[in-house]
Amino acid sequence: MLRFSTFGGLLIEKDGEPLQLPTQKARELVAYLLTFRHRRHPRAALAGLLWPDLPEEKARRRLSDTLWRVRRVLQECIAADKEFVWFRADPTCWLDVERFQEALANLRPEQADLTAVEEAIGLYRGPYLEGLYHDWVLLERERLRGLYLEALGRLVDFHKGVGAYEAALDLARRLVAVEPLQEAAHRELMRLYHLLGRNAEAVAQYHRCLAVLQEELGVEPAPETETLYRIL
């Protein structure tokens, strides 16, 4: 089985062993096909995307050569005919972002399989296709990051609601690690520390929040945060 991991950078493995794509353009081609895996892509469009400064004929030759090299490594997971190229999703090709989205679709923790949701969250090891900075990557990266943050927030609320404060705390820490400027997440951490009787850590979290807001945004904490700090 081929495993495609996209969170934290592109990693491709076969039977637990990493596979290396031959060139950076090969990595970009595979990344694009994975990102837009539910459609077929005209060869002319891919050639223009990857080699925008070359004449069309030369760009298409580069694409053909790169595609040949990629298919030698990835075999049946990348399909092509004379006009189109596409990612072939089948049971022999496991893709982390697909599993991630399936588990988080229409997420309602009180109804969802929490084990599957927490497994999906565990797949998020960093920004989507980290190391690539094309516009099409950045848009998808931000969308998936938003899904991850929403899932974390909902799971924090769920665990807190059933009194599982340690589990909620772990999730809230992850939320702050990904979005340190989200002041509401810092407040949630402060509340959870307080509920666990760890007021010194709640106060320390306030000071971390204060520092990041001043350093990154040049602002003071919101009145709600200050009020929470004073009652700790």
Side-chain angles (χ1 to χ4, degrees):
M1 174 182 284
L2 285 177
R3 292 175 61 93
F4 294 83
S5 300
T6 57
F7 291 116
L10 179 61
L11 173 65
I12 306 171
E13 298 172 292
K14 183 175 183 179
D15 301 326
E17 295 296 325
L19 296 178
Q20 298 297 326
L21 293 171
T23 65
Q24 179 62 23
K25 289 296 185 183
R27 289 178 64 81
E28 292 176 9
L29 173 61
V30 172
Y32 189 85
L33 295 176
L34 292 176
T35 300
F36 302 102
R37 57 194 171 277
H38 300 303
R39 67 180 79 161
R40 297 186 176 209
H41 304 278
R43 284 177 177 256
L46 289 174
L49 178 78
L50 294 171
W51 292 276
D53 299 327
L54 294 182
E56 181 178 350
E57 184 178 346
K58 189 170 185 179
R60 290 191 65 146
R61 285 200 302 270
R62 293 279 183 91
L63 174 64
S64 294
D65 179 69
T66 299
L67 182 59
W68 178 78
R69 294 172 185 272
V70 165
R71 296 186 72 192
R72 286 188 66 191
V73 177
L74 303 184
Q75 302 170 7
E76 68 276 4
C77 286
I78 303 296
D81 58 25
K82 290 183 178 180
E83 295 298 326
F84 297 95
V85 182
W86 65 96
F87 176 74
R88 190 202 307 273
D90 65 34
T92 67
C93 304
W94 181 92
L95 179 58
D96 63 346
V97 68
E98 193 75 16
R99 294 286 296 273
F100 175 82
Q101 291 190 116
E102 287 172 359
L104 300 187
N106 303 313
L107 175 63
R108 294 181 181 176
E110 67 277 8
Q111 298 175 0
D113 180 347
L114 289 181
T115 300
V117 173
E118 289 171 354
E119 178 185 354
I121 286 174
L123 294 173
Y124 193 96
R125 299 188 176 96
Y128 178 70
L129 292 175
E130 189 171 20
L132 294 178
Y133 300 99
H134 305 290
D135 289 345
W136 52 268
V137 173
L138 298 178
L139 289 170
E140 184 69 353
R141 181 177 299 161
E142 191 60 26
R143 187 184 72 82
L144 292 168
R145 180 174 173 273
L147 287 178
Y148 177 67
L149 292 173
E150 180 186 4
L152 284 177
R154 293 196 181 192
L155 284 176
V156 167
D157 291 342
F158 174 80
H159 285 297
K160 185 180 175 182
V162 298
Y165 299 139
E166 288 286 358
L169 180 69
D170 178 65
L171 292 161
R173 282 172 174 158
R174 287 194 243 175
L175 205 162
V176 168
V178 175
E179 185 49 278
L181 296 178
Q182 189 176 111
E183 194 172 345
H186 287 276
R187 286 196 298 270
E188 194 61 77
L189 267 180
M190 292 166 65
R191 293 188 191 99
L192 288 165
Y193 280 127
H194 176 66
L195 287 169
L196 288 164
R198 295 156 61 176
N199 278 9
E201 289 172 89
V203 169
Q205 188 63 44
Y206 165 80
H207 288 292
R208 283 192 287 271
C209 176
L210 175 65
V212 74
L213 290 175
Q214 289 180 337
E215 182 177 340
E216 298 295 331
L217 302 177
V219 301
E220 297 295 321
E224 185 180 354
T225 306
E226 294 288 358
T227 299
L228 179 60
Y229 168 62
R230 285 196 293 271
I231 65 175
L232 292 174

